[in-house]
Amino acid sequence: MTSQVSSPAEQADGTDETVVGAQRKPVGAKDVRRLDRVIIRFAGDSGDGMQLTGDRFTSETASFGNDLSTLPNFPAEIRAPAGTLPGVSSFQLHFADHDILTPGDAPNVLVAMNPAALKANVGDLPRGAEIIVNTDEFTRRTMQKVGYDTSPLEDGSLDGYHLHPVPLTTLTVEALKDFDLSRKEAERSKNMFALGLLSWMYHRPTEGTEKFLNTKFAKKPDIAAANIAAYRAGWNFGETTEDFAVSYEVAPAATAFPPGVYRNISGNLALSYGLIAASRQADLPLFLGSYPITPASDILHELSRHKNFGVRTFQAEDEIAGIGAALGAAFGGSLAVTTTSGPGVALKSETIGLAVSLELPLLVVDIQRGGPSTGLPTKTEQADLLQAMYGRNGEAPVPIVAPRTPADCFSAALEAARIALAYRTPVFLLSDGYLANGSEPWRVPEPDELPDLAVQFAQGPNHTLDDGTEVFWPYQRDPQTLARPWAVPGTPGLEHRIGGIEKQDGSGNISYDPANHDFMVRTRQAKIDGIDVPDLAVDDPGGARTLVLGWGSTYGPITAAVRRLRTAGVPIAQAHLRHLNPFPPNLGEVLKRYDKVVVPEMNLGQLAALIRAKYLVDAQSYNQVNGMPFKAEQLAAVLKEAIDD
């Protein structure tokens, strides 16, 4: 039979759509409803395995062929107090049968493992959303801990939602009664029971998760078997219980992807692969000098697994030692990288200035988080742009590249490496926590699609003195790029001096001459200004008088908001910056074409300030610094107001 769902479901990345017809067909005693998209949020204590649960559901969704976007959200504390609001960990997944751009504004489904998870997240739910709660955790003590005087499951406060009370803990323990496990050990598998239930509800594949569990617990086969049993029990519960009368299908996004091989990938993993690809394309060993810091540590973890690709990772005793080792590796002829977040950039600033003076290629990867100081280690922000632009003593210009999506981190790493190697300069790669931890499908590129990053090292003398002697001058510049030669230490005849004191043009000898210093400062700036970057592409449907300009991870929410407005008949243009220093050569001309320029940023207006200063354009800044990404609905309202003003 077929039926029509009458209430419109507001699509998070475009128009307000009716979930058309969600065709229903009987499967035994159950019906199947077809949807175009779903937003699910798993929430519980930081020890409840919500990140693992979300990751497994995401992996199976990716293998099924849906487009997807994720938003992990977890406490900074290693183990916050159990059952408290600060200890809630969540994982949101938006998946669809069409192209999507964000993790979604509001969940359609919340899985709440305890009262704290319910209270922390119920305010984000639209009316009519489904809530699956673990009733075993709703005791008087746990409810009072988060401020519930009465049970929200019984006092009518959840009447606007479709509530599914499920004793997840009890059912899990019962499913594992034949295993030689204590009750506490059995209870740990309740997240797998929940995963099985949701996998049944949304027809997710199961083979991948079972294989994953067998691999993860290969040395503990009893634990693997118990988790698989809990997972299957959750699936069977959904199939047999009367409380879940309907399951849902979200078809693969067949038209959203160009042909190719795809995999689900997070921003940090994509960035890691991009660095490895860059080293292979440049035929250089990759060296990472790093100190662990959230949310950049995953890059160190991942690269340490790839020694077979000539990758060397060095976990230093602090941030300064990490970048010092990386700069030494650059001097030695490696593709050198250091990874960090905002607090680490502050510590590395003197060595970045040294790299500017030495004119050596070095990638400084800043996975931005909320600040200042320690700030919000597990929350996202875009507030390091001015630090990357100006955060060094003296005139020390550094190119800046920013990816826009998790998958785009791969291409951004290649682009940052291209600039560093071609122009002999440190380069900032500005990602953030939202991109680093979020994930989406990524098309694995063919090798012949990757750029040629081959480097030519200095081989011999490049200057003739007045007396006819041929010598090597380490600061003799390429006339096109103004890059100095890169001489590998130990090459006969290419011995040269390095250090932080000002160099004499050409010879590289120490120089205190005022005119030489003026020349070198201007030359280093000219080298950065002359970097070859593509023109800014503008998405303009015609007739738009307002341009929304973004950078970095705001791409998804901005694009989703623009889609909404255009569907409603509102003309608006969009452009997104990858290169923030130097800016694209046509940026000034683009800005002058529009009456209004709106710049949404997860800071207090840093790009807007740069735009105003350089182009004398009255850019309107819209800012958010709450540790979370923008919502599409929120931005759409702001942009509509700017157009109408």
Side-chain angles (χ1 to χ4, degrees):
M1 62 179 177
T2 63
S3 65
Q4 198 77 14
V5 179
S6 58
S7 61
E10 186 173 50
Q11 185 173 346
D13 289 313
T15 63
D16 291 352
E17 291 188 354
T18 299
V19 182
V20 177
Q23 293 184 357
R24 300 183 183 183
K25 53 185 179 181
V27 176
K30 305 261 183 171
D31 288 342
V32 178
R33 182 178 300 171
R34 293 179 181 170
L35 304 175
D36 65 344
R37 66 181 188 92
V38 175
I39 304 168
I40 298 174
R41 184 181 296 176
F42 299 92
D45 259 343
S46 56
D48 282 340
M50 294 297 93
Q51 301 305 316
L52 175 62
T53 304
D55 183 68
R56 289 313 315 159
F57 195 94
T58 299
S59 295
E60 298 297 356
T61 297
S63 69
F64 187 72
N66 296 119
D67 196 10
L68 61 89
S69 179
T70 69
L71 178 62
N73 188 9
F74 41 86
E77 292 78 9
I78 293 176
R79 188 68 174 94
T84 64
L85 293 175
V88 173
S89 174
S90 68
F91 189 105
Q92 183 164 307
L93 165 67
H94 181 191
F95 62 102
D97 65 2
H98 57 275
D99 174 36
I100 58 173
L101 297 156
T102 75
D105 286 358
N108 308 117
V109 182
L110 171 66
V111 180
M113 303 298 282
N114 60 20
L118 176 64
K119 187 161 191 177
N121 292 281
V122 70
D124 294 336
L125 301 179
R127 307 300 283 180
E130 295 193 71
I131 304 176
I132 301 171
V133 295
N134 180 14
T135 56
D136 289 326
E137 293 296 319
F138 281 73
T139 65
R140 180 181 297 274
R141 179 175 176 273
T142 58
M143 289 188 291
Q144 288 179 343
K145 188 180 290 188
V146 295
Y148 281 128
D149 295 326
T150 60
S151 173
L153 309 184
E154 300 171 355
D155 63 8
S157 61
L158 301 179
D159 286 350
Y161 308 100
H162 296 298
L163 181 65
H164 301 280
V166 180
L168 288 173
T169 305
T170 299
L171 291 171
T172 302
V173 171
E174 177 64 22
L176 303 184
K177 64 182 181 181
D178 294 333
F179 289 82
D180 186 20
L181 299 173
S182 67
R183 179 179 178 85
K184 186 175 182 179
E185 290 172 330
E187 288 178 359
R188 290 176 182 166
S189 297
K190 63 181 180 289
N191 64 323
M192 288 296 105
F193 189 100
L195 178 60
L197 172 58
L198 268 293
S199 297
W200 171 83
M201 283 182 65
Y202 292 98
H203 295 231
R204 300 298 91 184
T206 61
E207 294 81 3
T209 293
E210 294 193 8
K211 182 179 179 181
F212 167 83
L213 291 170
N214 278 318
T215 302
K216 181 177 177 63
F217 298 107
K219 296 182 179 179
K220 299 178 179 179
D222 291 345
I223 300 298
N227 276 283
I228 291 172
Y231 178 62
R232 291 175 176 173
W235 178 283
N236 293 332
F237 177 78
E239 181 70 27
T240 57
T241 183
E242 295 181 1
D243 191 36
F244 293 91
V246 177
S247 64
Y248 304 91
E249 280 186 352
V250 180
T255 62
F257 306 118
V261 177
Y262 286 81
R263 60 156 295 166
N264 182 51
I265 202 165
S266 68
N268 274 351
L269 183 57
L271 201 154
S272 300
Y273 288 173
L275 294 173
I276 296 171
S279 75
R280 293 298 83 207
Q281 293 302 105
D283 196 22
L284 297 175
L286 178 64
F287 180 90
L288 173 67
S290 183
Y291 180 75
I293 183 172
T294 303
S297 299
D298 287 342
I299 301 171
L300 171 61
H301 301 158
E302 181 62 32
L303 289 181
S304 68
R305 300 187 178 110
H306 297 287
K307 297 180 178 64
N308 55 314
F309 287 111
V311 179
R312 295 183 181 180
T313 54
F314 171 58
Q315 180 175 322
E317 65 268 27
D318 55 37
E319 296 280 4
I320 298 172
I323 189 172
L327 185 56
F331 178 60
S334 293
L335 176 59
V337 184
T338 189
T339 53
T340 189
S341 190
V345 172
L347 292 166
K348 296 176 187 290
S349 61
E350 183 179 6
T351 307
I352 297 172
L354 176 60
V356 171
S357 174
L358 298 181
E359 301 190 44
L360 287 171
L362 173 67
L363 300 186
V364 181
V365 178
D366 177 5
I367 313 297
Q368 300 165 95
R369 71 191 204 190
S373 189
T374 307
L376 305 173
T378 60
K379 309 301 179 184
T380 195
E381 206 165 272
Q382 287 182 298
D384 294 350
L385 176 56
L386 293 183
Q387 179 179 222
M389 186 75 76
Y390 300 122
R392 293 160 296 283
N393 65 296
E395 297 288 348
V398 174
I400 303 172
V401 176
R404 63 185 189 178
T405 69
D408 188 47
C409 289
F410 177 86
S411 299
L414 284 163
E415 175 64 0
R418 176 191 73 85
I419 294 173
L421 295 171
Y423 294 88
R424 309 286 196 266
T425 177
V427 177
F428 263 101
L429 181 57
L430 288 186
S431 179
D432 61 40
Y434 172 37
L435 296 183
N437 297 315
S439 63
E440 65 177 352
W442 171 60
R443 188 181 72 85
V444 181
E446 296 296 331
D448 58 7
E449 296 175 331
L450 301 178
D452 181 5
L453 302 180
V455 174
Q456 182 64 50
F457 289 109
Q459 300 297 321
N462 61 359
H463 181 73
T464 303
L465 299 176
D466 292 341
D467 63 2
T469 304
E470 292 186 338
V471 295
F472 174 67
W473 272 18
Y475 283 81
Q476 186 86 287
R477 298 184 182 277
D478 182 291
Q480 297 298 319
T481 64
L482 298 182
R484 77 175 186 89
W486 193 3
V488 176
T491 305
L494 303 189
E495 296 83 1
H496 60 284
R497 176 176 308 182
I498 62 170
I501 297 177
E502 185 62 279
K503 315 296 186 298
Q504 184 181 49
D505 177 42
S507 71
N509 294 329
I510 290 175
S511 173
Y512 296 100
D513 177 64
N516 178 78
H517 176 60
D518 183 276
F519 177 81
M520 293 295 280
V521 167
R522 294 180 186 276
T523 300
R524 287 188 289 261
Q525 183 65 58
K527 180 173 70 169
I528 303 307
D529 292 341
I531 291 173
D532 180 24
V533 301
D535 279 346
L536 178 65
V538 182
D539 179 11
D540 189 337
R545 304 310 308 159
T546 298
L547 171 72
V548 55
L549 180 68
W551 71 278
S553 66
T554 58
Y555 173 78
I558 289 175
T559 306
V562 166
R563 285 184 181 180
R564 290 187 178 200
L565 292 175
R566 290 179 181 173
T567 301
V570 179
I572 186 169
Q574 177 189 2
H576 209 78
L577 291 167
R578 162 168 284 185
H579 297 91
L580 296 155
N581 193 31
F583 285 128
N586 69 330
L587 178 56
E589 182 271 328
V590 167
L591 296 173
K592 291 177 182 177
R593 296 206 304 254
Y594 297 92
D595 297 335
K596 296 178 183 177
V597 178
V598 183
V599 185
E601 296 180 81
M602 292 188 292
N603 57 46
L604 295 183
Q606 297 187 15
L607 174 61
L610 294 173
I611 294 294
R612 292 190 190 106
K614 184 173 179 63
Y615 299 103
L616 303 181
V617 170
D618 185 21
Q620 299 179 25
S621 192
Y622 180 71
N623 310 114
Q624 172 177 297
V625 283
N626 62 5
M628 298 295 290
F630 285 113
K631 293 182 177 180
E633 180 181 10
Q634 163 195 5
L635 279 182
V638 169
L639 297 175
K640 181 66 165 59
E641 183 179 349
I643 293 171
D644 294 341
D645 187 11

